[in-house]
């Protein structure tokens, strides 16, 4: 969620449609070259073709005095075609060596593509490992909306954030939401610092002036949700009423201002469970770092990251994403309203649950404050009509997305609406989804034809009538 609601939406007058993969070998059915991208309309080079990653294991050391990362990423994958060559996504760094199945392979770099040329071809369905050794000063990745991601400095450490394309700024990956994998990290840092990541902590080990930390994410995770934070954290723990461990890492400078929202995590997860079904992961918690210039919070899996002291709404927004975004993930970036519209609408539902104004009042405020001639309505948010990557996190995606859900609720009634939400999250758990799937689920549960409704709310550059 954004810190300020004043981002400038860039309205494009022409739409880019149907971008296709530019990678070598794409579309050539018999090629043994994995494509260099998956052809996303906004990020055509994000991800790669020819294989599916099962697990990442990033291990390394961080030298804060020199801002230097020395790391090896070990990848377990399975080929989805015969392969003589394939790519990983990696941004920056000097690559020392690349091995496939423990044998060195030739590699080359071009932009975000790290291309591996195999000595021995892989056959479709072969399992294989890749080890990439790399080092250097991580550089931030600048997004089409001007914000920074990747391995970012905080006032007293670093935070690694990856939506939509920052994860290759700290580990080589198949960087696309459809290739989920388990993930673990082992990071060595000076002993005054603590390392936090997704999932559950392993043992930490002191060795003279250094400490090594390990964390493991055992549930499938999209690369953009991987995180790592290094700083002088204060750790705290709690449990939800269902027994889910809550593990928080808070920058001491922000402890007082974060305390109220952090204390409500168990209660929020309990309530979210009543809306979206059982919590999908092994643990939960918050990472609060001091990096206000980043300007956004991120739903990093199991442990969302806040770059300033969060308030309740920001907290419940990022926790909602654990169901809508992290467990149920979009199948391509232009589907973003399925993440942000849902998390945004959850804020309205939470406010009502928490004794504030009703979701209807929140809808009325938003709808009423945006007259039909407001430029807000000229930008649609549907996967085929969202104009370009610079508006991926625009106010429209969040707010028009939330309004769409409330309008749906008013149309189909509470009973069907909450069944739709819950079926959505439970039947798509750990999967990837599209708007077309949401429309057909909503139609099935409500017994209505909803094509016109969704095209009005998502795809029409005009204020929908009520
Ligand atoms: N998904 C984040 C949220 O909870 C926002 C991420 C914004 N990222 C960016 N690169 N602009 O709203
Ligand atoms: Zn969000």
């Amino acid at each position: 969620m954004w810190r300020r609601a004043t981002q400038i939406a860039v309205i494009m007058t022409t739409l880019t449609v149907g971008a296709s993969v530019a990678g070598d070998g794409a579309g050539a059915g018999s090629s043994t070259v994995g494509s260099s991208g998956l052809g996303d309309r906004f990020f055509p080079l994000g991800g790669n073709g020819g294989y599916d990653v099962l697990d990442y294991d990033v291990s390394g050391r961080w030298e804060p005095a020199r801002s230097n990362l020395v790391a090896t990423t070990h990848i377990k994958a399975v080929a989805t075609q015969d392969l003589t060559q394939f790519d990983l996504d990696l941004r920056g760094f000097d690559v020392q060596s690349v091995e496939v199945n423990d044998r060195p392979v030739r590699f080359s770099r071009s932009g975000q593509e790290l291309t591996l040329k195999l000595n021995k071809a892989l056959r479709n369905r072969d399992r294989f490992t890749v080890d990439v050794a790399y080092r250097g000063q991580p550089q931030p990745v600048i997004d089409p909306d001007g914000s920074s991601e990747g391995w970012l400095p905080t006032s007293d450490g670093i935070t690694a954030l990856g939506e939509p394309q920052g994860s290759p700024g700290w580990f080589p990956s198949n960087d696309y939401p459809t290739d989920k994998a388990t993930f673990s990290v082992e990071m060595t840092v000076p002993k005054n610092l603590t390392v936090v990541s997704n999932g559950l902590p392993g043992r930490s080990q002191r060795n003279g002036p250094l400490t090594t930390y390990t964390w493991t994410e055992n549930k499938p995770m999209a690369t953009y949700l991987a995180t790592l934070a290094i700083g002088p954290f204060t750790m705290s723990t709690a449990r939800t009423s269902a027994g889910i461990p809550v593990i928080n890492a808070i920058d001491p400078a922000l402890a007082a201002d974060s305390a109220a929202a952090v204390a409500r995590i168990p209660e929020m997860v309990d309530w979210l469970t009543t809306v979206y079904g059982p919590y999908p992961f092994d643990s939960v918690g918050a990472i609060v770092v001091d990096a206000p210039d980043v300007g956004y919070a991120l739903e990093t899996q199991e442990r969302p990251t806040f770059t300033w002291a969060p308030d309740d709404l920001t907290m419940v927004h990022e926790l909602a994403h654990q169901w809508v975004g992290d467990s149920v993930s979009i199948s391509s970036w232009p589907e973003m309203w399925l993440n942000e519209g849902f998390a945004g609408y959850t804020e309205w539902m939470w406010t009502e649950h928490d004794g504030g104004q009703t979701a209807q009042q929140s809808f009325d405020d938003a709808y009423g404050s945006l007259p039909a001639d407001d430029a807000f309505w000229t930008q649609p948010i549907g996967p085929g009509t969202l104009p370009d990557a610079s508006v991926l996190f625009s106010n429209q995606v969040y707010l028009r997305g939330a309004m769409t859900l409330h309008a749906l609720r008013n149309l189909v009634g509470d009973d069907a609406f909450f069944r739709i939400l819950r079926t959505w999250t439970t039947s798509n758990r750990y999967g990837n989804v599209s708007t077309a799937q949401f429309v057909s689920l909503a139609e099935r549960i409500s017994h209505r034809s909803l094509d016109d409704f969704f095209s009005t709310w998502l795809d029409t550059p005009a204020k929908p009538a009520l």
Side-chain angles (χ1 to χ4, degrees):
M1 175 155 134
W2 290 90
R3 185 172 169 77
R4 293 165 210 91
T6 52
Q7 1 158 5
I8 298 152
V10 179
I11 314 287
M12 300 283 288
T13 48
T14 50
L15 309 185
T16 345
V17 285
S20 62
V21 186
D24 352 52
S30 62
S31 171
T32 60
V33 175
S35 68
S36 56
L38 293 171
D40 186 88
R41 184 158 69 85
F42 292 164
F43 302 100
L45 292 176
N48 305 283
Y51 64 96
D52 177 26
V53 174
L54 307 171
D55 181 67
Y56 295 96
D57 187 354
V58 180
S59 66
R61 69 173 189 270
W62 171 240
E63 303 167 344
R66 303 169 48 218
S67 292
N68 195 48
L69 179 65
V70 180
T72 298
T73 294
H74 178 73
I75 297 172
K76 292 189 181 73
V78 58
T80 55
Q81 63 177 73
D82 294 352
L83 284 174
T84 55
Q85 175 183 319
F86 65 88
D87 285 7
L88 289 164
D89 297 309
L90 180 67
R91 298 168 179 275
F93 300 104
D94 289 326
V95 174
Q96 252 70 62
S97 66
V98 182
E99 295 180 354
V100 171
N101 290 334
D102 300 315
R103 299 288 177 89
V105 297
R106 283 175 300 138
F107 61 90
S108 59
R109 311 280 310 269
S110 172
Q112 76 186 80
E113 303 302 318
L114 168 64
T115 301
L116 283 56
K117 300 205 168 69
L118 309 183
N119 314 319
K120 187 170 174 293
L122 292 165
R123 302 298 304 269
N124 188 17
R125 289 196 265 280
D126 279 354
R127 281 189 175 231
F128 61 100
T129 61
V130 185
D131 288 273
V132 181
Y134 54 105
R135 57 179 60 183
Q137 299 190 329
Q139 299 301 319
V141 177
I142 307 299
D143 287 329
D145 67 6
S147 56
S148 298
E149 51 168 334
W151 187 277
L152 300 171
T154 65
S155 69
D156 47 22
I158 68 95
T159 179
L161 301 174
E163 188 183 30
Q165 45 169 4
S167 292
W170 63 285
F171 66 99
S173 46
N174 191 29
D175 189 32
Y176 205 65
T178 49
D179 192 358
K180 298 189 181 193
T182 52
F183 180 86
S184 62
V185 59
E186 177 189 285
M187 192 61 59
T188 299
V189 295
K191 65 179 183 343
N192 58 318
L193 299 172
T194 298
V195 180
V196 198
S197 183
N198 312 93
L200 294 165
R203 256 181 280 117
S204 59
Q205 198 146 356
R206 248 314 260 294
N207 184 2
L210 303 173
T211 314
T212 300
Y213 294 84
T214 62
W215 290 83
T216 303
E217 170 60 61
N218 290 311
K219 294 290 191 290
M221 177 170 73
T223 46
Y224 82 89
L225 298 168
T227 195
L228 180 75
I230 302 174
F233 295 113
T234 302
M235 305 297 296
S236 64
T237 59
R239 260 177 208 280
T240 71
S241 64
I244 311 283
V246 182
I247 305 169
N248 305 308
I250 316 290
D251 189 302
L254 299 174
D257 290 347
S258 308
V262 170
R264 298 192 76 177
I265 292 174
E267 174 194 357
M268 287 174 174
V269 172
D270 289 347
W271 172 76
L272 287 162
T273 299
T274 68
V275 178
Y276 292 118
Y279 182 70
F281 302 123
D282 299 337
S283 73
V284 66
I287 302 171
V288 180
V289 300
D290 183 20
D293 290 349
V294 171
Y296 59 84
L298 185 63
E299 60 268 29
T300 44
Q301 190 158 308
E302 300 202 19
R303 196 151 293 103
T305 300
F306 303 87
T307 54
W308 68 94
D311 58 13
D312 288 5
L313 283 185
T314 311
M315 181 62 75
V316 84
H317 178 111
E318 304 308 334
L319 292 174
H321 273 310
Q322 302 303 310
W323 285 262
V324 285
D326 296 11
S327 168
V328 180
S329 306
I330 53 181
S331 51
S332 71
W333 290 112
E335 300 277 5
M336 185 54 77
W337 86 277
L338 292 172
N339 282 2
E340 302 305 346
F342 281 61
Y345 190 58
T346 309
E347 294 179 46
W348 292 357
M349 294 191 287
W350 167 260
T351 299
E352 175 167 345
H353 164 78
D354 198 35
Q357 69 178 1
T358 62
Q360 182 65 46
Q361 284 165 332
S362 294
F363 175 89
D364 291 343
D365 285 357
Y367 187 86
S369 71
L370 293 162
D373 62 359
D374 195 291
F376 176 91
W377 297 110
T378 63
Q379 185 203 289
I381 59 171
T385 51
L386 185 67
D388 68 89
S390 72
V391 293
L392 192 53
F393 301 102
S394 59
N395 197 24
Q396 282 88 338
V397 171
Y398 289 71
L399 192 55
R400 191 169 173 162
M403 285 190 267
T404 300
L405 289 174
H406 191 76
L408 175 67
R409 179 176 172 181
N410 282 343
L411 182 66
V412 304
D414 276 15
D415 219 55
F417 179 73
F418 287 105
R419 256 187 309 132
I420 292 166
L421 287 191
R422 204 181 163 104
T423 308
W424 182 243
T425 45
T426 50
S427 67
N428 295 304
R429 176 179 270 230
Y430 310 136
N432 291 88
V433 290
S434 66
T435 299
Q437 285 171 275
F438 185 69
V439 173
S440 69
L441 176 72
E443 289 186 331
R444 190 160 58 72
I445 292 183
S446 69
H447 306 291
R448 283 170 184 270
S449 163
L450 295 169
D451 275 352
D452 287 351
F453 170 85
F454 280 107
S455 77
T456 300
W457 274 96
L458 299 178
D459 297 328
T460 307
K463 183 173 181 174
L466 294 182

